[in-house]
Structure formats: structure tokens, C-alpha cells
Amino acid sequence: MSISLPETFAKLPRYPLLYSHPSPIHPLPALTNLLNRSPKSTPAVTLFAKREDHSSPLACAGNKYRKLEYIVPDILANTLSSSGPGTRPRAITTLVTEGAIQSNHTVQVASVARRLGLESIVILHKATGGALAASPDKPTFLRTGNVQIARLLGAEVRMLEDSSTVGEGDPITPILEGLRAEGRVPYWISSGASLHPLGGLGYARCAFEIAAQEKEQFGESGQFDCIFVACGSGSTVGGLIAGFKLQEKIEAQAPHDTNPAAVTKRPRKVIGILTSPTKPREYHEARVLDFARRAARLIGLDPEEDISLDDVHLDDRFAGTAYGVLDPDGKETLALMAQQDGVIVDPVYTVKAMRGVIHWVKEGDLMKDWSLPSEASSKQSPVNALFIHTGGLSALSAYAELE
């Protein structure tokens, strides 16, 4: 499939980490039929899944590889010049990143380091979220799942008791300084790669990929009306918002005689399901807006004119008691997805995102929110909802409470 990006976006350096074909989109027929039995889900909602867990040949495919595709060129181009005349610049030797104990992001960074022939150091915070504290088998939680895979990939795993992040006075700055003192040249990648200036570009590009797949699925007249995705650090959601804004701007500027259906299409709505209750929704909304505007500026949009807080839609009702904690509702959702459509979701992100999807359809929230045009409403046209599966299945084995 050919993905056509506008010139400004297409010129941005990208290092391929994904398959040459898009991650697949497929319907979820059993779950669709089950949820549409609810009298509140009228007109019908058709559910689809985009399988980012099938996006890359590298270990534990997931959404971070898309982000890293735009960060790798910066890693390869980044050199540090030693002081003094006649010294040579030194290339990056070590990727350093952080996350919670069962972080998917850290595994994907470790895998990219292998691809690039670099070392990797994975810093895991025991106090991030509540998963370790809630685990009935803490030694297993600290040893298996993503921790085990990071070590298999050759990463040096360091576990810290607190959950501080990089900055003055935190425990990570001394680690970076220690590496430099040893003669190594570290490249820091923040948790989830969201704080990196290029962190939102991968999912801005993914929006164009989804738009191209829509044409295969629905022809010129249809689209995915709502896109549901887990929202952790926030740049996946922000990138999608920016990408769809640019895509829709291009569609609106196209001659109407070439695609009359584009005139009546409504903006696609990205709905982020928050996965942690630590910060209020307003904090995450401001953060996602910042990420969306940062990506917008790079891909050719006017960040202030084209992106506003009205474009940010987050739902905090399914975050649970703590980040990474799998509660009874989560276990029920895991089982439901597995037994309805044979799809396995992860215990940290996609399980909460899917809980949100199920609620929005079953309880009629999607139809209340989606003000259908009168013509479409009279025809009882279905709404197409897309769930983005961001990966994370490798963490399952660490959750000893799952049977």
C-alpha cells in the first residue's frame, strides 16, 4: 500500500523499523454482535482493530516502534565533540531509557539498540504505578515478562526504588554522568518516547496509514468515525490528532469533483482512554495538546490555528486504582476479548482501552457523543469505531494472578 505524505512531512528523516506493509486492520465481528444487542447502541456500531502488535519484525511489536522510527535518524546523526583541538566527535554508544517494571517501551528501545549495534540500559522504577505492590508474586513480577525479554535482548537492567524521572537532583542524571565518565556516549529516550521532540511523528504518519486503509475497507465514501487508543504518556494520541488534522485539511482542499464524498465526511474523532489515575484528566489534556501541536509544527500545520483543546478527547473512567494494576474488570475484559474474537490484549494499556470501547458502545456513550447528520440518522447508518491495539502482550506472564 502506498502512503502519500505531503512534502514537508515526507522530507522528515525516518528509519524503517516496521514491516513494509501496514499493520492490519480487521473487524471484530463477535464483539460487535455482542455489544450491539444492547438497546442503547442504536444505530449499530461496527468495531475494528488495528494491530500495532503485528507491526514490526522486532521483539514485542507495539506502538513505540513507530515513534522510534523518527528518533533513530537523530541517534545516528548525533555526535558529541570532545573539547580541544584535533579531537574527533564521538558517536552514540548507549541508548538509555526508563519505565515501569513491565514497560513495553523499554523492550522496544532495547530491541532497536540491537538493530543499531548499540548497547542499551533499561532503568525500571519499582514505585511507578501499583502493579508491583499489588502482585501476589513479586519475585515473578520482577523477573519475567518484559524484564526477562529486555535481558534476553542484551540490555543492562537497573531497578530503582523510586519513580523519579530525568532532571536535576533525580537518580537518573548520575547514571548518565557515570556513563560519560566511563567513556560511553549515552542517548536519553524518555519514558514512552513522548518528551522527545520527534515523539509524535510516528502516529501522525499512522493517521495517513489508517486513512489509506479506510479506502480499502469502505471505498471513498466511508471512514473510521472514532478511533480509540490507550493514553499513557500521551504522544500516540497527540500524533494521531495532528496526523488526522493534516489528512482532513488535504481532503478538504481536494477538488470536490474528484471525491464528492469528502465534502460530507465528518472529522475523525480520536478518543484516548487514560491508563493511570495519578494525574487529573486536565493535566493529560494539556500534555496531549502540547504533543499534538509539536507534531503539527513539524508536519506542516499551524499548531495554534489548526490544533486546539477541542480536538483532545480523553476519558479517565477506566484508569482503575493504579497504573499497571489488573483489577476484576480488567480480567473480565481480557477473557471477553480472547473468547469473543480470539484477540489477546495486554494487562496495562489495551485492556483499559478496550474497557472504554465496550462501555462507549454498550452504554450508548458513543451514540450520544456522535451527533449524526439527519440524513445518516434517518438511515440508521452504522458508526465505524477503530480500536488501536498498541501491543504489550509480553507483560502477561508477569501477572501471576491470571489463570
Side-chain angles (χ1 to χ4, degrees):
M1 174 188 293
S2 174
I3 299 171
S4 178
L5 297 177
E7 184 178 4
T8 299
F9 196 172
K11 284 183 176 179
L12 295 173
R14 172 176 163 260
Y15 183 97
L17 298 171
L18 308 181
Y19 289 118
S20 58
H21 55 80
S23 64
I25 290 178
H26 64 81
L28 298 171
L31 187 62
T32 294
N33 291 335
L34 177 67
L35 296 181
N36 279 322
R37 294 174 192 168
S38 169
K40 297 178 182 178
S41 60
T42 303
V45 176
T46 305
L47 297 177
F48 297 81
K50 181 162 178 62
R51 303 301 299 272
E52 294 292 83
D53 58 325
H54 293 174
S55 64
S56 173
L58 298 180
C60 309
N63 63 321
K64 305 305 187 294
Y65 284 125
R66 279 194 193 270
K67 300 182 184 185
L68 291 166
E69 282 195 317
Y70 283 94
I71 295 174
V72 167
D74 188 61
I75 295 170
L76 297 177
N78 201 312
T79 58
L80 299 178
S81 297
S82 302
S83 58
T87 58
R88 294 181 178 179
R90 294 180 296 156
I92 300 298
T93 64
T94 311
L95 303 187
V96 186
T97 194
E98 67 174 350
I101 294 296
Q102 289 300 326
S103 164
N104 305 318
H105 162 77
T106 57
V107 166
Q108 291 172 62
V109 170
S111 184
V112 169
R114 289 294 87 201
R115 169 63 66 87
L116 300 178
L118 302 176
E119 303 169 334
S120 62
I121 295 178
V122 165
I123 302 167
L124 302 178
H125 298 280
K126 291 183 179 181
T128 296
L132 177 60
S135 175
D137 187 347
K138 292 176 178 56
T140 294
F141 195 84
L142 290 168
R143 178 176 51 83
T144 60
N146 283 324
V147 180
Q148 181 184 49
I149 292 171
R151 287 181 171 138
L152 281 171
L153 289 166
E156 178 187 339
V157 176
R158 303 186 187 185
M159 295 192 182
L160 303 182
E161 296 296 331
D162 62 32
S163 58
S164 300
T165 55
V166 72
E168 186 178 354
D170 70 75
I172 295 183
T173 298
I175 293 174
L176 298 175
E177 291 174 347
L179 292 171
R180 295 184 188 106
E182 295 169 5
R184 293 194 269 180
V185 183
Y187 186 98
W188 171 251
I189 303 174
S190 62
S191 179
S194 286
L195 293 177
H196 195 287
L198 305 173
L201 293 177
Y203 273 86
R205 187 178 190 278
C206 184
F208 279 79
E209 182 174 296
I210 291 170
Q213 289 175 291
E214 285 175 338
K215 293 179 182 179
E216 290 188 345
Q217 188 75 46
F218 308 114
E220 294 291 342
S221 60
Q223 66 177 33
F224 294 110
D225 304 299
C226 296
I227 295 94
F228 289 90
V229 63
C231 182
S233 55
S235 65
T236 296
V237 177
L240 286 167
I241 291 170
F244 280 124
K245 276 286 183 176
L246 180 57
Q247 173 71 34
E248 287 156 7
K249 191 171 186 177
I250 292 169
E251 290 172 349
Q253 292 171 348
H256 294 163
D257 56 348
T258 62
N259 185 11
V263 181
T264 59
K265 281 185 179 180
R266 301 201 53 195
R268 305 165 183 86
K269 186 169 186 176
V270 179
I271 301 171
I273 306 297
L274 290 170
T275 59
S276 174
T278 307
K279 300 282 188 181
R281 188 182 73 250
E282 292 77 13
Y283 167 87
H284 291 284
E285 288 171 342
R287 188 175 166 98
V288 168
L289 177 62
D290 182 57
F291 293 147
R293 284 177 167 170
R294 185 186 299 175
R297 183 177 292 106
L298 292 171
I299 64 178
L301 291 170
D302 183 318
E304 302 297 327
E305 291 292 326
D306 292 323
I307 309 284
S308 75
L309 192 57
D310 290 339
D311 300 310
V312 180
H313 309 285
L314 303 182
D315 191 335
D316 60 0
R317 292 176 293 172
F318 312 99
T321 57
Y323 171 85
V325 172
L326 185 61
D327 58 21
D329 288 335
K331 292 178 186 177
E332 183 179 336
T333 302
L334 275 165
L336 181 68
M337 285 296 293
Q339 294 166 22
Q340 288 295 315
D341 283 297
V343 174
I344 306 299
V345 293
D346 87 292
V348 181
Y349 292 98
T350 51
V351 69
K352 293 182 179 181
M354 182 47 69
R355 278 185 61 195
V357 173
I358 290 169
H359 179 95
W360 275 68
V361 177
K362 189 175 180 180
E363 299 303 317
D365 286 13
L366 188 54
M367 300 319 305
K368 292 174 190 173
D369 179 81
W370 190 255
S371 301
L372 292 170
S374 57
E375 181 183 356
S377 180
S378 65
K379 294 180 180 179
Q380 296 289 284
S381 299
V383 170
N384 299 311
L386 180 67
F387 159 67
I388 299 183
H389 191 320
T390 52
L393 306 187
S394 50
L396 276 170
S397 63
Y399 283 75
E401 64 268 36
L402 280 173
E403 297 179 357

